[in-house]
Amino acid sequence: MHAGRWRKTSAGSHEVRGRTLGIVGYGRIGSQVSVLAEALGMRVIYHDVVPTLALGNARPAASLEHLLRESDVVTLHVPATEGTSNLIGQRELGLMRDGAMLLNNSRGSVVNIDALGEALRSSHLAGAAVDVFPHEPSSNDEPFESPLRGLDNVILTPHVGGSTGEAQEAIAQDVATKLTRFINVGSTTGAVNVPNVELAAQPGGERARPHRILHFHKNVPGVLGKLHEALSAHGANVSGEVLGTNQELGYVVVDVDPGDSRPVVEELEAIPETIRVRSILRAWHDADDPTVLVVAHRAAHRGPGAGGPENSLPSIEAAIAMGCDMIEVDVRRTIDGHFVLMHDTTVDRTTTGKGRVDELTLEQVRELRLLDGDGLPTVLAVPTLREALLACRGRIMVNLDKARGYLAECLSLATQLGMRNHVVLKARIQSEDASDYLRSNGLDDLVGGQSPHTLSFMPIVAFDESTDAPDALLELTSLAVLHAPAIEVCLDGEAAGDRLIYPVANLLDGRARLWMNSLWDSISGGRSDSRAIEDPHAVWGWMVDNGVTVIQTDEPQRLLEYLRSRGLHW
Ligand SMILES: NC(=O)C1=CN([C@@H]2O[C@H](COP(=O)(O)OP(=O)(O)OC[C@H]3O[C@@H](n4cnc5c(N)ncnc54)[C@H](O)[C@@H]3O)[C@@H](O)[C@H]2O)C=CC1
Ligand SMILES: O=C(O)CCC(=O)C(=O)O
């Protein structure tokens, strides 16, 4: 009619109502087609290699052959696999009813295109609609060649089944999520070229946040034995493991306890059949690892999922149960030289007692009871550092604050308890005296030049509105020689945050993790927890989108939910 012609006729036109639609592949798309076809009044039968529950009045066909014989229209919704290659060939087309129609919106390899051309030319089939082809042009500039060209009973479309703005956006999000999940948790679900493996995080409070090793290897006998030998030689306790294989490749994802899996990784790299090994264990030590780590400030004592008073054992348990990566706790020394968890210099705010910690004995401190959030006494005593570390051993990393004056003693206790690799010390230091400071604290081996993964010290730096970006960068560059796994950067207020976060993150990129706190505005670049409760994206989104990969918060449960919703935590 656009060309000015009027051709009114009913020849070859039929209602779909009452006709039989045969769906081959009753998955996500096939089953939706089923619902739509029934809404148009069609009778639906389907065939799938996996037994699948029928939707509405649809019924499974006894076999593919039965479906082909019974259907007026056959529509294909199977993936391209060895099993579906030429699924519909000359024989199958021959089984279809005279005057039936074939729709192929799945993949070109599923239908033998020459046989289809023949069935259409002979008018055995009344028509076909084909969106996918064995050979598709790789761009719109290349010509389209097909035996179906020129047949007037075929509708040809250029693989546009998913070509709506909405579908393209959904595809982009799906692809990005899948890539993020591979990077962050090693999941290969949906990959077409490697075995599909998905290892769920171990649930619940007893779970140690494990180090995850991803191992791609040649699929030949004996490799798994070597892998397990390496794990047991290094005393790595396996808490979860999944293997997937295809013809050439094996892919294992294995979770081990939070010790240092780097030696295991090195040993796995040396196995001749290893193709690639990666460890998410290095989450903390690996500046390139984009996983965002969650640190529960004074352990999980606020917000949903909180366990009890700050710096208490129940709050540590709560942080572990919700899946935090690290707790931050404060260390003070009693007059008789014992380390206890206490934030303030005095016990006044958080316990039933009064006085400076360093003027009380351990016994006196232990008689006190911790206060709850309303200031009421609980049955809980002030934990010793040893108790707290033992509660965390093999379960969660620990960041010790306020330990500035006793770094060496704390590190020595951690080493004694076999926890050197998951205790992180920190202090605010100036770059010019950083090395001297560490040496004078007996921490010579933490000074640059040592193997970076043994370092357990993190410098803290603070910048405000008066700090020039070049000065901040100079300071960070000087600190970076310490090879610390992370640098805690405090930015005072929103203006400082807006101005400095990008240059800071850019400078640290690949050198050290950027640790930020969302605790209060004077250190969080003006983006603190209270705002995050209303608008997590404005606070935590701003941080991670700007390159922050460790966030310390008083709202760990909410932060975890936010990061998990973005595929940035597992
Ligand atoms: N033309 C286009 O632009 C688009 C094409 N597709 C194609 O559609 C296919 C189906 O997509 P979904 O429904 O999302 O996949 P799906 O994986 O949800 O469903 C596929 C179904 O086919 C079944 N199946 C596999 N081999 C079979 C066989 N030999 N015989 C019978 N059933 C078999 C599976 O058991 C599964 O239930 C995709 O694999 C893709 O190739 C998907 C989106 C857009
Ligand atoms: O149009 C596209 O981007 C491809 C859609 C497609 O074939 C699919 O999702 O399987």
Side-chain angles (χ1 to χ4, degrees), residues 205-206 299 312-322 391 395:
E206 293 313 306
S312 70
L313 294 177
S315 296
I316 293 177
E317 289 301 327
I320 294 169
M322 64 178 71
R395 306 174 75 199

Side-chain angles (χ1 to χ4, degrees), residues 206-415:
E206 293 313 306
R207 163 177 89 85
R209 187 185 189 278
H211 291 196
R212 180 164 283 196
I213 299 174
L214 318 175
H215 187 243
F216 283 99
H217 55 265
K218 292 182 192 149
N219 185 12
V220 293
V223 183
L224 281 190
K226 293 179 192 173
L227 177 127
H228 289 128
E229 263 171 41
L231 290 171
S232 81
H234 292 278
N237 187 37
V238 173
S239 53
E241 181 171 340
V242 182
L243 163 74
T245 58
N246 63 22
Q247 206 82 21
E248 298 90 34
L249 268 182
Y251 178 42
V252 182
V253 178
V254 54
D255 283 350
V256 296
D257 61 31
D260 187 355
S261 67
R262 187 173 290 235
V264 182
V265 168
E266 279 163 13
E267 196 157 327
L268 295 181
E269 271 162 358
I271 296 176
E273 295 86 358
T274 294
I275 295 169
R276 183 85 203 271
V277 54
R278 182 163 77 89
S279 167
I280 304 181
L281 112 87
R282 282 184 271 177
W284 170 248
H285 299 288
D286 187 349
D288 285 328
D289 188 312
T291 317
V292 178
L293 305 181
V294 173
V295 184
H297 177 235
R298 300 181 204 170
H301 70 288
R302 280 206 200 135
E310 66 181 46
N311 284 315
S312 70
L313 294 177
S315 296
I316 293 177
E317 289 301 327
I320 294 169
M322 64 178 71
C324 294
D325 302 278
M326 192 184 291
I327 52 157
E328 187 258 15
V329 286
D330 305 288
V331 183
R332 302 250 173 217
R333 188 159 52 185
T334 60
I335 193 167
D336 49 348
H338 295 278
F339 293 111
V340 292
L341 299 198
M342 182 66 56
H343 176 269
D344 303 353
T345 48
T346 73
V347 298
D348 303 7
R349 181 179 60 86
T350 54
T351 76
T352 48
K354 290 252 174 292
R356 289 180 63 93
V357 184
D358 59 6
E359 291 173 358
L360 296 169
T361 63
L362 177 65
E363 204 184 330
Q364 287 169 322
V365 171
R366 296 290 275 178
E367 276 164 12
L368 308 176
R369 290 294 164 257
L370 288 170
L371 301 179
D372 68 14
D374 297 323
L376 299 171
T378 65
V379 294
L380 302 165
V382 175
T384 62
L385 176 61
R386 172 181 283 269
E387 277 174 345
L389 289 179
L390 285 174
C392 297
R393 185 163 71 185
R395 306 174 75 199
I396 193 164
M397 293 183 74
V398 188
N399 175 225
L400 300 182
D401 197 9
K402 304 273 176 289
R404 190 186 166 85
Y406 11 87
L407 293 181
E409 289 99 317
C410 290
L411 193 60
S412 142
L413 178 61
T415 309

Side-chain angles (χ1 to χ4, degrees), residues 29 105-107 131-132 136 158-164 167-168 171:
I29 296 176
N105 291 299
S106 61
R107 284 292 180 261
D131 187 48
V132 287
E136 295 181 2
H159 200 145
V160 290
S163 295
T164 60
Q168 290 298 308
I171 290 170

Side-chain angles (χ1 to χ4, degrees), residues 12-29:
S13 301
H14 300 283
E15 295 188 4
V16 293
R17 182 173 44 179
R19 301 273 170 157
T20 299
L21 177 71
I23 301 175
V24 182
Y26 204 66
R28 278 162 296 203
I29 296 176

